[in-house]
């Protein structure tokens, strides 16, 4: 099994070194064959025209055609190698990056957007596109300059000065625009994140009449980014205009020097035209460097972000496959302090529930219930203490295996784009029979059959389902596969009376199957159907025991009576 270092950015680039090496070889062939045109022109001027030889012209044309055809083939092979390098980087990093994005979003320790995936695309496209071409062609710029010196020292010196001026202008532009580009990238990301957050909260934004205010805030953030981009672009326009005019002047100057040498009898006239083309070849790496420079700093920042996140989120090295747990769960001194905060959301939480038993966890909003749910399902790691199932800490299972043993219905219902069946079956993890069985146990099978396409109804359009229907489908997804532990976080928040009855019946059936059920709610009425109850207050477990005893402590005799009735 690969260690997590094998998935870092440097390791991904190292894995593509053969692609880049062979691409360099074929690029060398391409650059050598570029000389076919100036050689052809020189021979035409100095031999064909002077001798008026048709045979020589035909021979030169045949050789020139073969050279250009070979150049095209070598360019195609070089491009294919870079495409395969891009695909290899994608295979080595994409799944890993996506997994980190999802995990960080689930744990609340990272952005809930795909910025890292956009970073990966930018990095991959740069290192196998503009960046690769600039690096592959750079040595050939010096070689073509050397050829100009061999053709004529005066022409070579003139070309060297022209290239030095272009390179100096590139460096000056980089220094002038670097800070503005970095700032524009940072501010632009902030604007993008705000727009994504506003989109996710669109219903509240429109319903509360906040649209104009939100647009004003977004416009303020965007204006800052645009301002920095305009500064950088303005400097770039000045640079591009200067270099465009300078390029024409350089070619004219080079031709003037060549003509002087012809007049002085130092070189034949054909060399002047050949030198113009070779000078263009020598300038190509500078042009590619200029083109790549605009993307370099954003890509460098993207690569740094990817590398940092991957190194901070190593892949688990567990190779031992533990057996399916019975469902006994224990929390021992579980404490959680959010990153960047000094305030504990959970404080030394300790309790235990035996396999097949049920626990109702109640508390006011902000008491830490959802945080505890995330810890119990492994999406959040405790800062201190440990959570164990059948004596083993959660990280001793891989996420894939653990997910088959544990069902989770989060407070925020999150069905993914796809069909109803795909969502319930966790996108291929379970069979059709298991999907239908889970829907029946969640009492949502008949509801699904009434949808336009039944189980094949697409959930891309959120208007297809009501909030209660979405919650019951999410419940079916949580209980599929007969899990050992099911954690339900506010599972009745969108349910009406019949829906709540279906939820209670489902929990009773889970208990009959021997599944451990943990119900998290701020409404105690559902807890009366469970074996145990616990009360959280400001992150502290203030009461734990049998449901009857806990509700006696809370002074709720009416509910205690209902508990007895529910159990009789």
């Amino acid at each position: 099994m690969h260690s997590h270092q094998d998935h870092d950015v440097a390791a991904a680039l190292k894995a593509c070194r053969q692609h880049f090496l062979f691409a360099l070889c074929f690029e060398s062939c391409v650059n050598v064959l570029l000389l076919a045109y100036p050689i052809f022109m020189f021979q035409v001027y100095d031999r064909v025209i002077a001798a008026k030889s048709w045979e020589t012209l035909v021979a030169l044309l045949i050789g020139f055609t073969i050279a250009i055809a070979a150049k095209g083939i070598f360019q195609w092979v070089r491009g294919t190698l870079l495409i395969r390098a891009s695909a290899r980087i994608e295979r080595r990093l994409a799944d890993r990056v996506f997994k980190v994005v999802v995990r960080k979003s689930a744990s609340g320790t990272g952005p809930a957007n795909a910025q890292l995936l956009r970073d990966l695309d930018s990095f991959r496209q740069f290192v196998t596109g503009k960046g690769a071409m600039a690096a592959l062609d750079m040595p050939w710029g010096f070689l073509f300059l050397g050829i100009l010196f061999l053709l004529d020292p005066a022409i070579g010196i003139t070309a060297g000065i022209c290239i030095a001026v272009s390179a100096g202008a590139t460096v000056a532009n980089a220094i002038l625009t670097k800070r503005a580009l970095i700032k524009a990238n940072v501010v632009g990301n902030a604007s993008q994140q705000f727009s994504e957050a506003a989109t996710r909260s669109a219903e509240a934004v429109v319903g509360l009449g906040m649209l104009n205010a939100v647009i004003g805030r977004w416009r303020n953030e965007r204006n800052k980014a645009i301002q920095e981009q305009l500064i950088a672009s303005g400097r770039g326009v000045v640079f591009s205009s200067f270099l465009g005019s300078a390029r024409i002047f350089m070619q004219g100057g080079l031709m003037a020097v060549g003509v002087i040498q012809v007049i002085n009898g130092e070189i034949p006239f054909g060399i002047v035209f050949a030198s113009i083309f070779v000078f263009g070849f020598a300038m190509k790496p500078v042009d590619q460097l200029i083109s790549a420079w605009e993307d370099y700093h954003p890509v460098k920042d993207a690569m740094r972000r990817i590398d940092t996140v991957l190194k901070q989120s190593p892949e688990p090295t567990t190779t031992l496959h533990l057996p399916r747990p019975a469902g006994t769960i224990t929390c021992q001194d579980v404490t959680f302090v959010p990153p960047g905060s000094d305030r504990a959301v959970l404080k030394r939480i300790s309790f235990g529930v035996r396999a097949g038993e049920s626990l109702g966890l109640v508390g006011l909003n902000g008491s830490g219930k959802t945080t505890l749910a995330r810890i119990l399902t492994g999406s959040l790691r405790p800062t201190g203490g440990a959570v164990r199932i059948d004596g083993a800490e959660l990280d001793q299972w891989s996420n894939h295996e653990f997910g088959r043993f544990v069902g989770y219905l989060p407070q925020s219902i999150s069905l993914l784009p796809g069909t109803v069946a795909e969502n319930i079956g966790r996108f291929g993890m379970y069979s059709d029979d298991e999907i239908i069985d889970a829907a029946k146990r969640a009492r949502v099978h008949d509801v699904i059959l009434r949808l336009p396409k039944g189980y094949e109804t697409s959930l891309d359009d959120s208007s297809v389902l009501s909030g209660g229907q979405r919650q019951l489908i999410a419940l079916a997804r949580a209980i599929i596969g007969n899990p050992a532990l099911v954690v339900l976080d506010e599972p009745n928040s969108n349910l009406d009376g019949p829906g709540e009855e279906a939820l209670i019946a489902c929990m009773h059936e889970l208990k009959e199957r021997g599944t451990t059920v943990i119900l998290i709610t701020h409404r105690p009425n559902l807890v009366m159907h469970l074996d145990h109850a616990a009360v959280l207050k400001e992150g502290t477990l203030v009461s734990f025991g049998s449901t009857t005893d806990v509700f006696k402590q809370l002074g709720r005799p009416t509910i205690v009576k209902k508990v007895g009735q529910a159990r009789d």
Side-chain angles (χ1 to χ4, degrees):
M1 182 175 181
H2 294 295
S3 65
H4 74 273
Q5 286 84 359
D6 293 334
H7 300 277
D8 293 344
V9 172
L13 289 175
K14 186 177 179 181
C16 298
R17 61 185 181 276
Q18 287 187 337
H19 296 77
F20 292 124
L21 180 61
F22 283 113
L24 176 61
C25 294
F26 283 101
E27 181 65 10
S28 299
C29 295
V30 169
N31 280 287
V32 168
L33 292 172
L34 280 175
L35 295 173
Y37 188 58
I39 291 173
F40 173 76
M41 179 173 289
F42 172 71
Q43 294 296 324
V44 167
Y45 270 101
D46 280 18
R47 296 181 63 182
V48 175
I49 294 178
K52 298 182 180 180
S53 173
W54 289 97
E55 293 82 0
T56 304
L57 178 61
V58 171
L60 289 172
L61 277 173
I62 292 174
F64 178 67
T65 301
I66 294 173
I68 296 304
K71 171 183 169 293
I73 293 173
F74 290 145
Q75 277 185 309
W76 169 71
V77 175
R78 178 205 63 195
T80 301
L81 286 166
L82 293 178
I83 290 172
R84 291 185 177 181
S86 176
R88 189 162 193 172
I89 292 174
E90 172 75 12
R91 289 195 301 270
R92 292 185 68 93
L93 292 179
D95 289 359
R96 177 93 168 88
V97 170
F98 185 70
K99 187 182 295 184
V100 170
V101 169
V102 174
R103 281 179 174 171
K104 283 186 168 290
S105 179
S107 66
T109 58
N113 58 52
Q115 177 62 44
L116 280 176
L117 293 173
R118 291 192 291 269
D119 287 341
L120 176 60
D121 288 337
S122 299
F123 163 71
R124 178 176 52 79
Q125 292 166 6
F126 180 82
V127 298
T128 58
K130 291 182 178 180
M133 294 308 303
L136 294 176
D137 276 339
M138 185 59 67
W140 286 92
F142 295 102
L143 181 62
F144 287 129
L145 181 60
I147 292 174
L148 290 173
F149 271 98
L150 291 177
L151 293 175
D152 183 75
I155 290 177
I157 291 172
T158 304
I161 293 173
C162 293
I163 292 175
V165 170
S166 297
T170 303
V171 173
N173 178 64
I175 295 173
L176 291 174
T177 59
K178 176 180 178 180
R179 183 175 299 177
L181 285 172
I182 293 175
K183 191 172 181 181
N185 190 47
V186 172
V187 179
N189 285 338
S191 172
Q192 180 68 22
Q193 290 174 8
F194 184 82
S195 66
E196 291 175 351
T199 302
R200 290 193 300 271
S201 305
E203 186 176 351
V205 168
V206 175
L208 296 173
M210 297 166 54
L211 184 57
N212 289 338
V214 169
I215 289 175
R217 170 64 182 274
W218 171 78
R219 172 51 61 189
N220 182 52
E221 295 290 335
R222 187 168 176 83
N223 282 343
K224 294 177 184 178
I226 295 297
Q227 183 63 31
E228 296 298 330
Q229 289 172 358
L230 290 176
I231 293 173
S233 299
R235 293 170 181 171
V237 167
V238 172
F239 161 73
S240 298
S241 301
F242 164 76
L243 195 60
S245 299
R247 174 65 60 82
I248 298 175
F249 177 78
M250 290 173 187
Q251 291 177 341
L254 194 68
M255 178 172 283
V257 171
V259 170
I260 292 173
Q261 293 296 88
V262 172
I263 293 173
N264 292 334
E266 299 292 333
I267 57 174
F269 189 70
I271 286 183
V272 177
F273 287 97
S275 298
I276 296 296
F277 283 97
V278 175
F279 174 70
F281 301 154
M283 284 294 297
K284 187 175 73 166
V286 177
D287 295 337
Q288 290 176 333
L289 181 63
I290 293 169
S291 176
W293 187 259
E294 296 179 359
D295 297 332
Y296 172 70
H297 283 292
V299 169
K300 181 181 177 182
D301 292 339
M303 182 174 68
R304 176 183 52 79
R305 285 192 294 268
I306 294 170
D307 210 37
T308 299
V309 168
L310 292 184
K311 288 180 178 178
Q312 290 176 348
S313 307
E315 282 280 75
T317 56
T318 301
T319 57
L320 180 66
H321 299 283
L322 295 176
R324 182 185 187 277
T328 297
I329 184 166
T330 57
C331 290
Q332 182 178 1
D333 294 330
V334 171
T335 300
F336 182 74
V337 180
S341 174
D342 57 358
R343 178 179 173 272
V345 176
L346 296 176
K347 306 167 187 175
R348 300 180 67 86
I349 302 295
S350 296
F351 65 86
V353 180
R354 291 192 297 269
E357 295 184 338
S358 56
L359 167 68
L361 186 61
V362 298
L364 299 176
N365 290 332
S367 59
K369 303 187 303 299
T370 295
T371 300
L372 182 56
R374 291 177 175 178
I375 290 176
L376 293 175
T377 55
S379 63
L380 199 63
R381 294 178 63 88
T383 307
V387 178
R388 300 176 183 274
I389 293 185
D390 289 11
E393 290 195 41
L394 303 191
D395 57 8
Q396 295 185 31
W397 280 282
S398 68
N399 178 263
H400 177 74
E401 289 182 326
F402 188 70
R404 285 188 172 272
F405 304 145
V406 175
Y408 179 41
L409 176 59
Q411 183 175 359
S412 57
I413 305 168
S414 51
L415 300 178
L416 299 175
T419 66
V420 172
E422 287 175 330
N423 273 272
I424 295 177
R426 304 182 190 179
F427 291 86
M429 290 178 62
Y430 294 94
S431 67
D432 292 346
D433 290 340
E434 290 173 305
I435 291 171
I436 294 173
D437 176 68
K440 288 180 177 179
R441 289 192 286 128
R443 277 61 177 177
V444 74
H445 173 70
D446 293 337
V447 174
I448 295 173
L449 293 181
R450 289 194 294 269
L451 294 176
K453 296 182 179 179
Y455 281 88
E456 295 304 314
T457 300
S458 174
L459 299 184
D460 295 348
D461 182 5
S462 59
S463 64
V464 172
L465 301 175
S466 68
Q469 290 171 336
R470 294 173 66 85
Q471 195 151 36
L472 289 176
I473 289 174
L475 175 63
R477 181 181 63 184
I479 65 174
I480 193 171
N482 195 28
L485 169 68
V486 171
V487 178
L488 308 174
D489 189 1
E490 301 288 355
N492 60 333
S493 58
N494 292 286
L495 300 181
D496 53 14
E500 194 163 294
E501 291 176 2
L503 172 64
I504 293 172
C506 179
M507 288 193 295
H508 278 300
E509 188 172 326
L510 287 171
K511 181 175 176 59
E512 291 174 358
R513 288 172 174 250
T515 300
T516 304
V517 178
I518 296 181
L519 171 68
I520 297 175
T521 182
H522 66 280
R523 294 163 57 184
N525 62 308
L526 284 180
V527 181
M528 64 183 180
H529 302 280
L530 308 180
D531 299 320
H532 305 284
V535 180
L536 268 182
K537 183 178 182 181
E538 297 179 354
T540 301
L541 188 65
V542 296
S543 182
F544 176 81
S546 68
T547 306
T548 302
D549 292 341
V550 169
F551 278 107
K552 281 182 179 178
Q553 293 175 13
L554 294 176
R556 303 290 292 268
T558 302
I559 293 182
V560 173
K561 183 177 179 181
K562 289 183 180 179
V563 171
Q565 291 174 348
R567 289 178 174 176
D568 287 340

